[in-house]
Amino acid sequence: MDIRDDSGYGFILHGAVAYSENKSSLKTFDDAYVICVNGICEGVYEQIPEEFSNLPVEDYWDKLIIPGFTDLHVHAPQYQIRGTGMDLTLMDWLSQNIYPEEMRYKGKRYAERAYDLFVEDLYVGPTTRAVVFATKHVGATMLLMDMLEETGLVSYVGKVNMDRNVPSSYVETTDGSIRATEKWLAEVKSRGYENTYPILTPRFTPSCSRELMDALGEMAEKYHLPVQSHLSEGLEEIEFVKQLEPDAAYYGQTYERSGLIKKDRKTVMAHCVWSGMKEIAQIKENGVFIAHCPDSNMNLMSGAAPASRYLDEGIRVGLGSDVAGGSNTSMFRAMRDAVTVSKLRWRIFDRSVRPLRFPEAFYMATKGGGEFFGKVGSFERGYEFDAVVIDDSQIATMHKLDAALRTERLAYLADDRHVVGKYVRGRKIY
Amino acid sequence: MDIRDDSGYGFILHGAVAYSENKSSLKTFDDAYVICVNGICEGVYEQIPEEFSNLPVEDYWDKLIIPGFTDLHVHAPQYQIRGTGMDLTLMDWLSQNIYPEEMRYKGKRYAERAYDLFVEDLYVGPTTRAVVFATKHVGATMLLMDMLEETGLVSYVGKVNMDRNVPSSYVETTDGSIRATEKWLAEVKSRGYENTYPILTPRFTPSCSRELMDALGEMAEKYHLPVQSHLSEGLEEIEFVKQLEPDAAYYGQTYERSGLIKKDRKTVMAHCVWSGMKEIAQIKENGVFIAHCPDSNMNLMSGAAPASRYLDEGIRVGLGSDVAGGSNTSMFRAMRDAVTVSKLRWRIFDRSVRPLRFPEAFYMATKGGGEFFGKVGSFERGYEFDAVVIDDSQIATMHKLDAALRTERLAYLADDRHVVGKYVRGRKIY
């Protein structure tokens, strides 16, 4: 029996509670008990059931307990330049800001100090799980994975692959990229991490040759690895893909034909701002997760993904901060941006795609993205026990708010100051 | 001679410095001195000029010194419900959320405690000036003005007028509204405030009869008072105004014909999301200030004002938090939202209105809105000395950033924690 928690085989958290049962409704309790046994949630109860009456209770009184957030798309090495140089569109921003920054991670000393800042930020905020892009560098990627493992957070981390249309000082050869990936995977295996997993990470079609994509597809198959990349983010990017890959009927096919999008493959694609009908069908059929990154999509002038359409279609959608296209690691802000952007999109662009309501944003930030990790992101029975405790008493108001309104306020007004406790897989990490 | 500062007749602040000289460029210094004499800025210098060498220097080392922000549109009595119930459009939101909340300010005890929370928030944040809606209640409005005066912040505050289309328990009679306003103005005069001014505040055309508007126009003339209201915010609202006032060629005329928009009148209109060509010409001709409130416009599904067009036209534009249509009093966030919304608007709606760049958002938040108060919102010589000192060292990065990049980051990453000093009219208030 794998006992991950610190207090025997289980414990109980007491406070106000909110979580998503499904994508459209928020389940809330003003005063309840969340029960953890062996790292797994046993559900939420207004009174402690007899069978759990011997478990110790951690009393958070009137604080708010929610499932941890999953950041489904974040670039760790871009953290240092977040919030600067935001007056560019995607392709210019990559060449002027991003590639020069990522190159720095060749140096172990820079990588160590820089990733330490990123990991600390993630650790103190409301995120418990993350799906992370690193750089092409195996050494720096291992450093990042070591650091994330140490926090107790759960993450997928990818060494980035790219063999074309990247500055010569940062590009890989096709063979070099494949060999480095094999080396990296061997290193990861030797570490024996408990909470840190590798994920194959072709940067995106513009920077990955067919040959490299095919090799990664084979690796995904051989080692049963998940995949992350970018899809249909910006209009110039999509045009560029059309030029590079004239045989593909649409952008998503460039991943599918290499086995990177596939029915039994766990794949997350960031953005999908401009996916057409066929691409949407492909995403749905293959169970691809979409990482919706509204902050980034605004900053880089990409557009706004039709998130409610994706949810209504039954597509799996989570939220990504996409630092540093997004400027803030805060998943509170990602929820707010998802809602506000959807409203503006509806009003000025496309009345056929309805605005998101807050419970849907909360769902995407918790259960929607959490499902990339399995049964994660809810307090339903059988879910892995990730919980964040929030002291919102400093978000002043005269009103006695119920748990539902308190949860909505988080999107608009909370930040890492309000996070006072974090549990991941039943272990208190903060 | 009016000596407002605390340190004799002048002082010098030393640190990194940023301010707007004009609407499109940011003037920055990595290491400079900002000089205040008798509450007025004497300019920014890399070395202290001989003539000021006897002034005391407050050394902020590598902290960042910027002009204070002006919140050009904020509803103080809506502060308690910010960030909740955000899934409604303007007219429903007013009747379901706003009117019931504003009614509470009839009670002195509620008003006192509630306004205390609002004023405290304004005091600790980066805002030094605000143009504020109160409620219809004279007593509560006086309480709010007393409290604002005590902080040392500078503000315009308006008792709200409304005599139609408001719930019967909150509406005023036309006569009652006019009498209450006269009474309120007499009260204000008797207080002898130094930093707190009255502003006439017809809520908006849907809730103000022609008779009431005319009376307010006369009062504006008689007492030389400025005016604030709302204009062309949402499409349903605009339709409603058309029905109510069929004789007006466009919404803005309903203010103009009562003398509330006029060449020698100082008037600020919130929103102007959907102003047509004629209304824009009217705004420009009469020197009306536009309070651009991007957060609120998204939350209430109003749309997105063409802010860069207004700037390019030479219209006076500032930023408003519009709490509680906006959820956050932070002018840092208002700058970020102004930029991101303009990018999304450009990408998905209207390529004829270019995206805002960060220096323009900073301009609107400082000098653009500040000019409603006179020579305010810059460190140019002759400006009133409002300064905010920011410790951004906790916004971690490996890079040694120059003052320009540090200032841009504020929009995306700063909050009230980073405000470590505030000066208003040369007086240190925080």
Side-chain angles (χ1 to χ4, degrees):
Chain A
M1 195 171 72
D2 178 13
I3 299 179
R4 294 173 193 272
D5 55 82
D6 286 341
S7 47
Y9 81 104
F11 60 87
I12 298 172
L13 305 185
H14 175 231
V17 178
Y19 65 96
S20 297
E21 279 184 321
N22 57 54
K23 63 190 174 190
S24 57
S25 71
L26 196 65
K27 181 97 176 165
T28 60
F29 299 83
D30 293 324
D31 187 346
Y33 299 89
V34 195
I35 296 177
C36 174
V37 174
N38 292 326
I40 301 299
C41 190
E42 289 291 332
V44 180
Y45 302 88
E46 295 193 86
Q47 307 234 301
I48 300 171
E50 182 55 35
E51 59 182 306
F52 301 119
S53 59
N54 62 331
L55 292 183
V57 177
E58 179 97 31
D59 204 330
Y60 285 110
W61 303 96
D62 60 351
K63 292 185 179 56
L64 181 61
I65 305 165
I66 60 173
F69 293 124
T70 290
D71 186 343
L72 202 52
H73 184 66
V74 57
H75 292 263
Q78 299 175 13
Y79 180 77
Q80 311 304 320
I81 57 169
R82 71 203 186 288
T84 57
M86 300 303 266
D87 290 334
L88 299 168
T89 50
L90 175 62
M91 302 308 276
D92 291 338
W93 178 76
L94 282 172
S95 60
Q96 290 177 43
N97 290 2
I98 293 305
Y99 295 141
E101 176 64 18
E102 289 195 6
M103 278 180 224
R104 295 173 184 269
Y105 288 78
K106 185 180 178 182
K108 188 183 162 186
R109 214 180 133 70
Y110 186 84
E112 203 159 43
R113 292 168 62 203
Y115 278 148
D116 187 54
L117 297 179
F118 167 75
V119 169
E120 175 70 11
D121 184 325
L122 215 59
Y123 178 64
V124 302
T127 297
T128 50
R129 312 247 173 171
V131 184
V132 185
F133 272 60
T135 60
K136 74 166 188 178
H137 312 99
V138 173
T141 304
M142 292 311 303
L143 272 175
L144 174 59
M145 294 180 86
D146 290 348
M147 286 181 194
L148 283 168
E149 176 73 8
E150 211 174 302
T151 59
L153 299 168
V154 182
S155 59
Y156 283 100
V157 178
K159 171 239 173 306
V160 172
N161 301 95
M162 48 194 175
D163 66 347
R164 64 177 179 183
N165 299 314
V166 172
S168 58
S169 46
Y170 190 40
V171 77
E172 301 172 295
T173 61
T174 308
D175 275 357
S177 186
I178 296 166
R179 276 200 312 273
T181 306
E182 291 279 9
K183 183 185 161 199
W184 165 62
L185 291 171
E187 285 259 18
V188 171
K189 197 171 175 194
S190 76
R191 287 293 208 283
Y193 296 129
E194 204 176 340
N195 293 320
T196 315
Y197 309 101
I199 181 168
L200 292 177
T201 307
R203 184 169 209 114
F204 66 160
T205 304
S207 62
C208 296
S209 70
R210 174 73 187 261
E211 197 184 340
L212 178 55
M213 293 275 221
D214 285 348
L216 292 172
E218 282 163 31
M219 258 185 248
E221 192 70 26
K222 182 172 164 195
Y223 301 120
H224 305 287
L225 288 172
V227 174
Q228 65 179 341
S229 195
H230 300 88
L231 181 59
S232 296
E233 176 177 4
L235 295 172
E236 295 104 332
E237 170 211 13
I238 294 167
E239 268 314 303
F240 192 33
V241 170
K242 271 187 198 153
Q243 286 168 33
L244 287 168
E245 304 293 342
D247 297 341
Y250 51 92
Y251 192 164
Q253 273 202 341
T254 62
Y255 298 110
E256 190 175 17
R257 66 192 185 186
S258 297
L260 296 165
I261 288 180
K262 198 174 171 229
K263 270 226 171 65
D264 58 351
R265 180 88 56 242
K266 186 156 74 172
T267 296
V268 56
M269 287 286 161
H271 308 307
C272 302
V273 172
W274 299 104
S275 296
M277 299 291 281
K278 284 183 190 165
E279 195 165 272
I280 292 173
Q282 178 207 35
I283 287 166
K284 188 176 171 177
E285 265 167 43
N286 293 287
V288 172
F289 284 76
I290 293 175
H292 175 41
C293 306
D295 181 17
S296 170
N297 295 160
M298 283 197 289
N299 285 327
L300 300 178
M301 296 176 244
S302 303
S308 68
R309 169 177 294 163
Y310 294 154
L311 287 174
D312 291 346
E313 288 261 5
I315 289 170
R316 299 150 125 182
V317 192
L319 294 181
S321 69
D322 193 23
V323 163
S327 46
N328 207 295
T329 55
S330 170
M331 296 302 292
F332 295 129
R333 289 212 191 183
M335 291 193 294
R336 180 269 188 188
D337 287 337
V339 171
T340 55
V341 163
S342 75
K343 289 175 172 177
L344 186 54
R345 189 186 192 285
W346 170 81
R347 173 60 81 191
I348 67 177
F349 178 56
D350 181 1
R351 293 290 172 100
S352 76
V353 176
R354 65 178 178 77
L356 290 168
R357 292 177 318 104
F358 171 72
E360 295 172 308
F362 189 83
Y363 168 83
M364 291 191 290
T366 54
K367 198 172 171 179
E371 286 184 345
F372 195 74
F373 290 84
K375 293 187 83 167
V376 169
S378 176
F379 289 144
E380 291 163 282
R381 202 168 174 167
Y383 272 67
E384 294 189 37
F385 193 91
D386 289 12
V388 170
V389 184
I390 292 168
D391 179 0
D392 59 349
S393 62
Q394 294 308 309
I395 306 174
T397 180
M398 293 286 289
H399 298 296
K400 176 84 189 132
L401 301 176
D402 62 26
L405 290 175
R406 289 171 66 187
T407 307
E408 183 184 6
R409 285 209 310 172
L410 299 180
Y412 300 95
L413 298 162
D415 56 48
D416 58 89
R417 281 177 268 209
H418 306 110
V419 175
V420 295
K422 277 172 91 166
Y423 295 78
V424 184
R425 290 182 163 167
R427 184 159 48 187
K428 186 166 175 34
I429 68 160
Y430 183 81
Chain B
M1 194 171 73
D2 179 12
I3 299 180
R4 294 173 193 271
D5 54 83
D6 288 341
S7 45
Y9 82 103
F11 60 87
I12 297 172
L13 305 186
H14 175 232
V17 178
Y19 65 95
S20 296
E21 280 184 319
N22 56 53
K23 63 191 175 190
S24 56
S25 70
L26 195 65
K27 181 97 176 164
T28 60
F29 300 83
D30 292 326
D31 186 346
Y33 299 89
V34 195
I35 296 177
C36 174
V37 174
N38 292 325
I40 301 298
C41 190
E42 290 290 332
V44 180
Y45 302 88
E46 296 193 86
Q47 306 235 298
I48 300 171
E50 182 57 33
E51 60 183 303
F52 301 119
S53 59
N54 61 333
L55 293 183
V57 176
E58 178 96 30
D59 203 331
Y60 284 110
W61 303 95
D62 61 349
K63 292 187 179 54
L64 182 61
I65 304 166
I66 60 173
F69 293 123
T70 290
D71 187 344
L72 202 53
H73 184 65
V74 56
H75 292 264
Q78 298 174 12
Y79 180 77
Q80 311 304 320
I81 57 168
R82 71 203 186 286
T84 56
M86 300 303 267
D87 290 333
L88 298 167
T89 51
L90 175 62
M91 302 308 275
D92 291 337
W93 178 76
L94 283 173
S95 59
Q96 290 177 42
N97 290 2
I98 293 305
Y99 295 141
E101 177 64 17
E102 289 195 7
M103 278 181 224
R104 295 174 184 267
Y105 289 76
K106 185 180 178 183
K108 191 185 159 185
R109 210 180 136 69
Y110 186 83
E112 203 160 43
R113 292 167 62 202
Y115 278 148
D116 187 54
L117 297 178
F118 167 75
V119 170
E120 174 71 11
D121 184 325
L122 215 59
Y123 178 64
V124 302
T127 297
T128 51
R129 313 246 173 171
V131 184
V132 185
F133 272 60
T135 61
K136 73 166 188 177
H137 312 98
V138 173
T141 304
M142 291 313 302
L143 272 176
L144 174 60
M145 294 179 86
D146 289 348
M147 286 181 194
L148 283 167
E149 176 74 7
E150 210 175 303
T151 59
L153 299 167
V154 182
S155 60
Y156 283 101
V157 179
K159 171 237 171 308
V160 173
N161 300 95
M162 48 194 176
D163 66 346
R164 65 176 179 182
N165 300 314
V166 172
S168 58
S169 46
Y170 189 40
V171 78
E172 301 173 295
T173 61
T174 309
D175 276 357
S177 186
I178 295 166
R179 277 199 314 273
T181 306
E182 290 281 10
K183 183 185 160 198
W184 165 62
L185 291 171
E187 285 259 19
V188 171
K189 198 172 175 194
S190 75
R191 287 294 208 283
Y193 296 128
E194 203 177 338
N195 293 320
T196 314
Y197 309 102
I199 181 167
L200 293 176
T201 307
R203 183 169 210 115
F204 66 160
T205 303
S207 62
C208 295
S209 69
R210 174 73 187 260
E211 197 185 342
L212 178 55
M213 293 274 222
D214 286 347
L216 292 172
E218 282 164 32
M219 258 185 249
E221 194 69 26
K222 183 171 164 194
Y223 301 120
H224 305 287
L225 289 172
V227 174
Q228 64 180 341
S229 196
H230 300 87
L231 181 59
S232 296
E233 176 177 3
L235 295 171
E236 295 103 332
E237 169 211 15
I238 294 167
E239 268 315 302
F240 191 33
V241 170
K242 272 187 196 151
Q243 286 169 32
L244 287 168
E245 303 293 341
D247 296 342
Y250 51 91
Y251 190 165
Q253 273 203 341
T254 63
Y255 298 110
E256 189 175 19
R257 67 191 185 186
S258 298
L260 296 165
I261 288 179
K262 199 176 170 227
K263 271 227 169 64
D264 59 351
R265 182 84 58 241
K266 186 157 74 173
T267 297
V268 55
M269 286 286 161
H271 309 307
C272 302
V273 172
W274 299 103
S275 296
M277 299 291 280
K278 286 183 189 166
E279 196 165 272
I280 292 173
Q282 178 207 36
I283 287 167
K284 187 176 172 177
E285 266 167 41
N286 292 287
V288 172
F289 284 75
I290 293 175
H292 175 42
C293 307
D295 181 18
S296 170
N297 296 161
M298 283 197 288
N299 284 327
L300 300 178
M301 295 175 245
S302 304
S308 68
R309 169 177 294 163
Y310 295 154
L311 286 174
D312 291 345
E313 288 262 3
I315 291 170
R316 300 151 123 181
V317 193
L319 294 182
S321 69
D322 193 23
V323 163
S327 45
N328 207 295
T329 55
S330 170
M331 297 301 293
F332 295 129
R333 289 211 192 184
M335 292 194 292
R336 179 268 187 189
D337 287 337
V339 171
T340 54
V341 164
S342 75
K343 289 175 172 177
L344 186 55
R345 190 186 190 285
W346 170 81
R347 174 60 81 193
I348 67 177
F349 178 56
D350 181 0
R351 292 290 172 99
S352 77
V353 177
R354 63 178 179 77
L356 291 168
R357 290 177 319 103
F358 170 73
E360 296 172 308
F362 189 83
Y363 168 83
M364 292 191 289
T366 54
K367 198 172 172 180
E371 286 184 346
F372 195 75
F373 290 84
K375 293 187 83 167
V376 169
S378 177
F379 290 144
E380 290 162 283
R381 202 168 174 167
Y383 272 67
E384 293 188 38
F385 193 91
D386 289 10
V388 171
V389 184
I390 293 168
D391 179 0
D392 59 349
S393 63
Q394 294 307 308
I395 305 174
T397 180
M398 293 286 289
H399 298 296
K400 175 86 189 132
L401 301 176
D402 63 25
L405 289 175
R406 289 172 65 187
T407 307
E408 183 185 6
R409 285 209 312 171
L410 299 180
Y412 300 94
L413 297 163
D415 56 49
D416 57 89
R417 288 176 264 205
H418 305 111
V419 176
V420 295
K422 277 172 92 165
Y423 297 78
V424 184
R425 290 181 162 167
R427 184 159 50 186
K428 185 165 173 38
I429 67 160
Y430 182 80

